[in-house]
Amino acid sequence: MGETRLFSSLLLVFTWFSLLQSSTNAATKPCPGKYCGRILDENGKIGDCGACPRGYGTNGTVCVECSSSPDLYDWLYLGFMAFLSLIFHWFFIDFFAKRERKTIFVLGLSAFVESVLAAIFSLLASKPQGMLTLTSCKSQWIADWYTIFFNPKPDYVNTLHCTQEAVYPLYTIVLLYFALSVGLLFLFRPIISHQFCDGQGRASIYAALYFLPSLAVVHALLGGLIYYSYPYATLVISVLSTATVLAKNKITHIRQLVRSKRHVVIIMTHWLAHAYGILAVTQLRNPPVHGPMFTLVLAPVLFFLITHSFTEPNKFKT
């Protein structure tokens, strides 16, 4: 009788241990798909596979809170998106201001302040909140920007939705920046335009209400492509834009260029954009080699002025 009770007790313990082990193995089993993970609650209980919360990534099994910091390339990307909207502001202000220096300066300064405040507020609203730093999940592949296309089907029928911001916060912070830019635009620009510019900033305000949402849509759809191509796009666009400015204003000599303060400012802005692209491409990994490359910012202007005489259409007889 005693042996029977002992055997029953051992069998019960073995069964309980087997169930516990199988439950633990099931909880720690890797989730299907590349972006699915299990959420660990406050009691230490592991949930089912699914999308990780914002600010979390997955190691294939459980969701892990993002703890790394953006590298130089990430910061330059955020700066690129911020400067892109600012350049659009300045372009339309200059386009609609009819070359009135006071209007261009006041509205341009307002756009700059709005962009800086939007960037600061975006950083303060992101983790760690209240600080001008960011906690991020490192982007490894372009697929990290488009997790919606990688929801797995474990049984080949039902979809396990694991869409999340795997590149936190590079995706949402840019959208937040554009939203804050619109809000600050409404807050400051109409008052400044009315008080200091006789209402001449109205057209540039309307333009901003078109291009800011457009930039947000472009980022939402093509953020990953922009992230991996913006250094080269910056270099190409700055070169083409420099040639366009010089050709449109018929600048064929350095004296014509320095004679106009407006042209000098525009060309210097292009030089800064070109230097920004070089910095993004090289990231100064090897300063003795990459440092001298910044002298190439002068190359587009010098090349245009030197070769213009060889491409003057009037010199070619038909």
Side-chain angles (χ1 to χ4, degrees):
M1 191 69 178
E3 294 179 356
T4 303
R5 289 182 179 179
L6 178 61
F7 178 76
S8 299
S9 300
L10 291 175
L11 182 61
L12 181 62
V13 171
F14 178 77
T15 303
W16 177 82
F17 180 77
S18 299
L19 292 174
L20 180 63
Q21 187 177 19
S22 62
S23 176
T24 303
N25 291 336
T28 57
K29 183 180 178 181
C31 292
K34 187 177 180 181
Y35 300 104
C36 297
R38 293 182 174 87
I39 301 175
L40 187 65
D41 61 18
E42 297 178 354
N43 299 323
K45 184 179 179 181
I46 300 178
D48 297 329
C49 292
C52 294
R54 184 171 182 264
Y56 283 75
T58 178
N59 59 6
T61 302
V62 296
C63 296
V64 181
E65 187 173 7
C66 301
S67 58
S68 61
S69 299
D71 56 20
L72 177 61
Y73 189 88
D74 295 334
W75 284 112
L76 290 175
Y77 169 74
L78 296 178
F80 171 81
M81 297 304 297
F83 285 131
L84 187 62
S85 65
L86 179 59
I87 289 173
F88 272 101
H89 277 301
W90 285 345
F91 171 79
F92 285 108
I93 288 171
D94 181 74
F95 183 79
F96 290 114
K98 300 178 181 179
R99 305 293 174 84
E100 294 189 14
R101 294 184 179 180
K102 177 185 175 182
T103 301
I104 293 175
F105 176 78
V106 172
L107 294 179
L109 180 61
S110 175
F112 177 78
V113 173
E114 293 163 15
S115 299
V116 171
L117 290 178
I120 292 175
F121 292 154
S122 298
L123 291 175
L124 293 177
S126 302
K127 292 182 180 179
Q129 294 179 345
M131 300 180 65
L132 296 177
T133 57
L134 288 176
T135 300
S136 67
C137 289
K138 181 62 180 174
S139 174
Q140 301 291 340
W141 314 98
I142 192 172
D144 295 342
W145 289 80
Y146 304 102
T147 57
I148 191 173
F149 298 114
F150 296 91
N151 292 321
K153 291 184 177 181
D155 57 358
Y156 302 99
V157 177
N158 300 308
T159 301
L160 182 60
H161 296 281
C162 297
T163 303
Q164 58 183 290
E165 188 181 8
V167 293
Y168 173 86
L170 300 181
Y171 191 87
T172 52
I173 195 174
V174 175
L175 298 177
L176 176 61
Y177 168 81
F178 288 141
L180 290 173
S181 296
V182 174
L184 293 171
L185 173 73
F186 280 125
L187 185 62
F188 292 113
R189 196 80 65 85
I191 299 175
I192 293 176
S193 175
H194 177 73
Q195 292 292 332
F196 301 100
C197 304
D198 298 326
Q200 294 187 33
R202 190 178 307 161
S204 61
I205 294 174
Y206 290 147
L209 295 180
Y210 281 98
F211 72 72
L212 283 174
S214 299
L215 288 176
V217 172
V218 170
H219 170 73
L221 298 177
L222 305 175
L225 297 176
I226 297 173
Y227 177 80
Y228 286 102
S229 64
Y230 80 89
Y232 311 101
T234 302
L235 293 174
V236 172
I237 293 174
S238 67
V239 171
L240 296 179
S241 181
T242 298
T244 302
V245 170
L246 295 175
K248 182 179 179 180
N249 293 281
K250 298 180 180 180
I251 299 175
T252 60
H253 197 276
I254 189 66
R255 284 177 293 185
Q256 293 176 285
L257 178 61
V258 299
R259 194 177 300 160
S260 172
K261 293 182 180 179
R262 179 175 178 271
H263 293 157
V264 170
V265 171
I266 292 175
I267 293 300
M268 290 184 66
T269 303
H270 284 78
W271 286 349
L272 291 175
H274 204 84
Y276 196 92
I278 294 175
L279 177 61
V281 171
T282 63
Q283 299 182 55
L284 289 180
R285 297 185 185 92
N286 189 355
V289 175
H290 297 150
M293 294 179 65
F294 285 95
T295 58
L296 294 174
V297 299
L298 305 175
V301 174
L302 295 178
F303 181 81
F304 182 91
L305 296 179
I306 292 173
T307 61
H308 178 270
S309 59
F310 300 105
T311 59
E312 177 61 41
N314 297 329
K315 294 184 178 181
F316 293 92
K317 296 181 179 181
T318 57

